[in-house]
Amino acid sequence: MKNDSTSNVTRLVVFSFWIVVLLGIPFWWKATEVYRANLPFTEIDAWYNKQACDFILPTRFTIYIPTSFSSVVDNEQLRAEIDNRLNDKLKKLNYKHNFPITISVNEWLQDGVESHKEASIGNYFIYVEQSDKVQAHIGSERSSLLKVDKISTSTVAEKLTAIIPPVYFSKYATLGNIACHTEKINKNDASNMRTLKYSSQYEVIFSLMNNNPENMKIDWDIREAINAYLQPFLKEVSIIFNFTIDSQIQNYAPLSLTPEYKERENKPNYYYFEPQHLPHFINSAEWNLASTITSYPSIHFVLYVPSEEESPLRIHDSNGQPLLTNAFLVPRWGGIVIKNPPKAATEEYRFTKKDLQPIIKIFISQLRSLIGVHELEDNLIGQFPSDFEVTFELATKTGITTLEKDGLIRARTLENVANTISTLKSLAQLVDEIPNMVVQDHISIKVRQSLDALDAVGIALSKENYLDALESSIEAIELAEKAFFDPTMVSMLYFPDEHKYAIYMPLFVPVSVPLIMALLKEIKKLKQKNKKDVEKKKEE
């Protein structure tokens, strides 16, 4: 009886331990479970499959015909003919349905060409008048002037359809490729290689690098120059980008390579760099150009003043001739201008606001390339009929024409949409491939808000509200990137299952082995006891 009582107690203890273990496993499993909020995978896949190919970017043209043409030109007939000719010219455009065109014809009293500066994006106005020869003047605002030598419906329609596609639709194929995220985008294109990755804010750093301050101390009136010459340009593009401006002066800024020396007969000698030397011009080891103020991308503009021993210093072009600007662009980084101090300067020299004006103009040109502003005039060489005389009005005060700004807004809107879709798809793949990745509720909320912002972009574009579309696209890409780079997700990227085994095995193996052995022993005893009980019953 005593042995049976002891066995019962032992058995009770063993089973009690196992009951505790079995009851504790669900609690342990739930307590160690990785929380994963639901992500809208179906919606993300739908956006990834269609991209922004169904977005509509309408354009409206208002043609103003002088009232004196009314006896020869019928406005409705002219509108229909322009529409037909444009459809024939643009029928080969891959994304024609994304860029619908609306033409209207109004009468004009020839009382001056209005700029229509306050008109919304996507609305353009072309004034037609008679002249001795065919001329087109593309304004810096939304209005252009077309002069024709003959007055007839067919002639006016022909000249208008010769100017509209190259001026207003030259970048639509590129926009379509961006919207549909096709591989037709030439990543080796020079303009694409120069352009910075989009950010809602950039830090622009102006640096005056003085090679040898022992020979000459140099200062500059950079604040006054920026306010006078750069600020109008920044104000124009502020609806797309925000810029913070910083400046610095660095002394003892030597070059990382030695310039070559050129001797000339009857002309001053000088030092120079060839184009292949320019990638090594920046001395990253000794030039402290890194910013610690903000985490936003930085754009650097450097005004370099060489030492007396290396002056004058110039830059050669590919033909071995000195560049007039003595400046060069560093793709996706910034720009550099080399300025040799005047010979009259001795121990001290100061760049005044007037001295900095041509330098700031060069920096504006470089900044235009870095943020993706395309030179309209350069892209249209050879695209007009030989009898056309085309002139472009420059935006001398602001540094960017309305047509260029409209193109930049369209391009950045579609790029933001494409990048948002790509980021959300990468996030969905990452979550799907790493089962143990934590997905908090705020991540799911940001993803859904980003998708809502994408929907808002399409709605705004269909209503011809390009500014709202741009704002929604900025919101979409910022939310997507915040979700993708959230610290709660990144912390789980490098925590595989092997780490869990390494943590739990030292804790559970030493405990589980005795419990398993005791359980097997008690089960064996129960079997033996049951066997004895059966044999005893048979004997009775």
Side-chain angles (χ1 to χ4, degrees):
M1 291 293 293
K2 188 176 181 181
N3 290 336
D4 291 343
S5 177
T6 303
S7 298
N8 290 335
V9 172
T10 303
R11 194 174 298 121
L12 182 62
V13 171
V14 171
F15 285 132
S16 298
F17 269 106
W18 274 104
I19 289 171
V20 171
V21 170
L22 294 175
L23 290 175
I25 285 176
F27 290 101
W28 168 79
W29 185 267
K30 191 65 179 176
T32 58
E33 182 183 32
V34 174
Y35 182 77
R36 292 165 67 87
N38 292 325
L39 293 181
F41 291 102
T42 305
E43 293 180 42
I44 293 173
D45 289 337
W47 273 105
Y48 185 74
N49 291 330
K50 71 175 182 179
Q51 295 292 324
C53 288
D54 59 350
F55 280 6
I56 303 299
L57 286 79
T59 305
R60 295 181 179 272
F61 291 97
T62 302
I63 313 299
Y64 285 93
I65 303 297
T67 53
S68 58
F69 286 18
S70 59
S71 60
V72 183
V73 178
D74 180 75
N75 289 354
E76 183 57 31
Q77 186 180 351
L78 176 62
R79 186 203 64 76
E81 187 160 348
I82 295 172
D83 203 34
N84 291 334
R85 286 175 179 266
L86 283 177
N87 286 331
D88 289 340
K89 276 205 167 189
L90 301 174
K91 62 183 178 181
K92 295 182 180 179
L93 187 66
N94 291 336
Y95 309 100
K96 181 183 174 182
H97 65 280
N98 295 99
F99 305 101
I101 304 167
T102 303
I103 304 290
S104 61
V105 180
N106 295 337
E107 290 188 347
W108 176 37
L109 297 175
Q110 290 186 281
D111 52 353
V113 176
E114 296 182 26
S115 65
H116 296 280
K117 186 176 181 180
E118 302 303 323
S120 59
I121 298 170
N123 287 270
Y124 304 103
F125 306 85
I126 302 177
Y127 290 79
V128 181
E129 66 179 19
Q130 190 176 10
S131 180
D132 296 335
K133 56 183 177 179
V134 181
Q135 293 177 308
H137 178 73
I138 312 302
S140 61
E141 302 294 345
R142 301 195 177 279
S143 299
S144 298
L145 178 64
L146 174 63
K147 297 181 179 181
V148 294
D149 54 350
K150 297 178 182 178
I151 305 172
S152 68
T153 301
S154 59
T155 300
V156 174
E158 178 190 353
K159 302 307 180 185
L160 284 169
T161 51
I163 193 174
I164 288 175
V167 173
Y168 298 96
F169 298 146
S170 60
K171 289 296 179 181
Y172 276 19
T174 303
L175 291 177
N177 290 335
I178 293 171
C180 296
H181 208 262
T182 64
E183 297 301 324
K184 294 180 182 178
I185 301 172
N186 185 7
K187 295 182 179 179
N188 294 323
D189 180 63
S191 60
N192 291 332
M193 294 175 66
R194 295 190 194 107
T195 307
L196 287 157
K197 184 178 182 294
Y198 178 77
S199 174
S200 59
Q201 185 164 336
Y202 295 97
E203 182 185 15
V204 181
I205 303 173
F206 291 90
S207 302
L208 172 60
M209 314 299 286
N210 185 5
N211 190 319
N212 190 353
E214 294 179 0
N215 294 336
M216 185 184 302
K217 295 180 180 179
I218 300 176
D219 202 350
W220 59 349
D221 297 328
I222 188 63
R223 183 186 296 273
E224 292 80 0
I226 288 173
N227 290 335
Y229 311 124
L230 179 63
Q231 204 60 43
F233 175 78
L234 298 183
K235 184 179 179 180
E236 284 294 313
V237 298
S238 62
I239 58 174
I240 314 170
F241 311 98
N242 289 318
F243 295 96
T244 57
I245 309 296
D246 293 297
S247 65
Q248 61 177 344
I249 299 176
Q250 290 194 27
N251 295 313
Y252 300 101
L255 297 172
S256 58
L257 68 165
T258 304
E260 299 182 27
Y261 185 68
K262 185 167 185 175
E263 295 183 2
R264 301 186 296 177
E265 293 184 4
N266 301 324
K267 291 183 178 180
N269 304 327
Y270 63 88
Y271 295 87
Y272 68 94
F273 284 117
E274 295 288 357
Q276 63 268 22
H277 299 148
L278 299 181
H280 311 287
F281 184 91
I282 301 170
N283 190 349
S284 301
E286 298 191 37
W287 293 9
N288 183 21
L289 297 174
S291 173
T292 58
I293 299 174
T294 177
S295 59
Y296 289 108
S298 298
I299 302 175
H300 297 274
F301 292 112
V302 176
L303 175 59
Y304 180 79
V305 181
S307 63
E308 185 179 356
E309 293 77 15
E310 296 178 347
S311 294
L313 181 62
R314 297 182 180 177
I315 300 172
H316 276 184
D317 60 17
S318 56
N319 297 321
Q321 297 299 316
L323 287 173
L324 295 177
T325 59
N326 215 25
F328 64 95
L329 178 75
V330 182
R332 300 185 179 183
W333 185 85
I336 294 176
V337 175
I338 299 174
K339 182 65 176 177
N340 298 294
K343 295 180 180 179
T346 54
E347 296 182 354
E348 294 184 3
Y349 183 73
R350 187 181 190 90
F351 288 102
T352 63
K353 185 180 80 170
K354 186 177 180 180
D355 295 332
L356 291 171
Q357 182 178 13
I359 297 171
I360 296 295
K361 285 186 176 181
I362 294 173
F363 286 151
I364 291 175
S365 176
Q366 293 171 339
L367 182 58
R368 282 166 53 92
S369 297
L370 291 169
I371 64 175
V373 180
H374 299 289
E375 295 285 350
L376 182 62
E377 186 174 357
D378 294 344
N379 295 329
L380 301 180
I381 297 175
Q383 295 194 32
F384 297 105
S386 57
D387 63 334
F388 252 70
E389 182 181 321
V390 182
T391 58
F392 293 85
E393 182 181 356
L394 300 177
T396 53
K397 293 183 179 180
T398 60
I400 183 171
T401 65
T402 301
L403 198 57
E404 289 172 335
K405 188 167 70 172
D406 288 357
L408 184 61
I409 289 172
R410 289 191 186 98
R412 285 308 192 186
T413 299
L414 294 178
E415 284 174 7
N416 288 343
V417 170
N419 291 334
T420 299
I421 295 169
S422 179
T423 302
L424 291 177
K425 182 61 177 177
S426 299
L427 175 61
Q429 289 176 339
L430 198 64
V431 171
D432 186 53
E433 292 171 2
I434 305 178
N436 293 325
M437 175 177 282
V438 176
V439 182
Q440 299 288 355
D441 287 330
H442 67 276
I443 302 294
S444 177
I445 292 171
K446 287 177 182 176
V447 170
R448 293 181 187 278
Q449 288 176 340
S450 181
L451 291 171
D452 291 341
L454 288 179
D455 291 329
V457 174
I459 294 170
L461 288 176
S462 65
K463 294 180 179 179
E464 303 180 39
N465 196 333
Y466 286 92
L467 292 181
D468 283 356
L470 175 66
E471 291 178 5
S472 296
S473 73
I474 293 172
E475 181 185 3
I477 186 62
E478 288 182 344
L479 286 168
E481 290 186 346
K482 285 178 181 178
F484 188 84
F485 294 106
D486 191 273
T488 61
M489 297 187 66
V490 177
S491 62
M492 292 299 295
L493 284 178
Y494 308 103
F495 196 74
D497 291 335
E498 290 80 0
H499 288 195
K500 291 184 179 180
Y501 301 146
I503 292 171
Y504 287 125
M505 284 181 68
L507 297 175
F508 290 109
V509 170
V511 177
S512 59
V513 170
L515 285 174
I516 293 171
M517 296 301 295
L519 180 62
L520 293 175
K521 186 177 179 182
E522 290 302 320
I523 291 172
K524 186 177 180 181
K525 285 181 179 181
L526 282 173
K527 286 182 178 181
Q528 289 176 352
K529 182 182 178 183
N530 290 336
K531 188 177 180 181
K532 287 180 180 179
D533 291 342
V534 172
E535 289 176 355
K536 189 181 287 186
K537 287 181 179 180
K538 285 181 180 180
E539 290 177 356
E540 293 177 352

